[in-house]
Amino acid sequence: FTLDKSTEEWGAFEKDGGGKPSEFFAFTEDANHRPNETRIAFWAETREQVDRIAKLVREAGGQNLEGPQIWPEYSPGYYALFFEDPDGNKLEICCRGSAIVAD
């Protein structure tokens, strides 16, 4: 994922689609918004993707960064970065070393 510099006012991120439509998400600022304990997590396929997003988060001014690192208390091989955006919204980018399957 990359920060779309042409739409910084939207906080838009997009997956490189090689010139084709691709996955993306965006958010707008609400003057009445109050950050809360809700955390939004985004799935990455690899640790390298988590590391790449961590670099972007640091460059974009992310706050209260934790990781990226392995968090065994969540599950074996759980690799994640926890952070807050400049407005205090709680976010996470993560991947797992192996799938967790319910019995």
Side-chain angles (χ1 to χ4, degrees):
F1 288 89
T2 59
L3 177 63
D4 183 346
K5 297 292 185 183
S6 66
T7 57
E8 282 184 0
E9 70 275 10
W10 283 86
F13 291 79
E14 64 181 20
K15 180 178 177 184
D16 181 9
K20 301 176 188 172
S22 61
E23 300 163 346
F24 76 97
F25 71 92
F27 49 91
T28 59
E29 192 168 332
D30 176 355
N32 298 316
H33 172 74
R34 302 280 188 281
N36 56 43
E37 293 302 313
T38 300
R39 179 177 303 276
I40 299 173
F42 298 92
W43 188 256
E45 295 291 326
T46 66
R47 289 184 183 182
E48 291 77 19
Q49 288 177 340
V50 173
D51 293 340
R52 218 168 48 238
I53 296 296
K55 182 177 183 234
L56 287 171
V57 166
R58 283 184 179 86
E59 291 171 358
Q63 306 292 315
N64 298 321
L65 281 79
E66 296 181 56
Q69 67 186 52
I70 295 174
W71 300 88
E73 61 270 30
Y74 291 105
S75 67
Y78 194 91
Y79 188 76
L81 168 72
F82 297 94
F83 63 99
E84 294 177 7
D85 70 12
D87 293 322
N89 297 298
K90 297 176 183 311
L91 303 163
E92 171 186 356
I93 182 79
C94 61
C95 71
R96 284 195 177 106
S98 60
I100 302 297
V101 179
D103 293 328

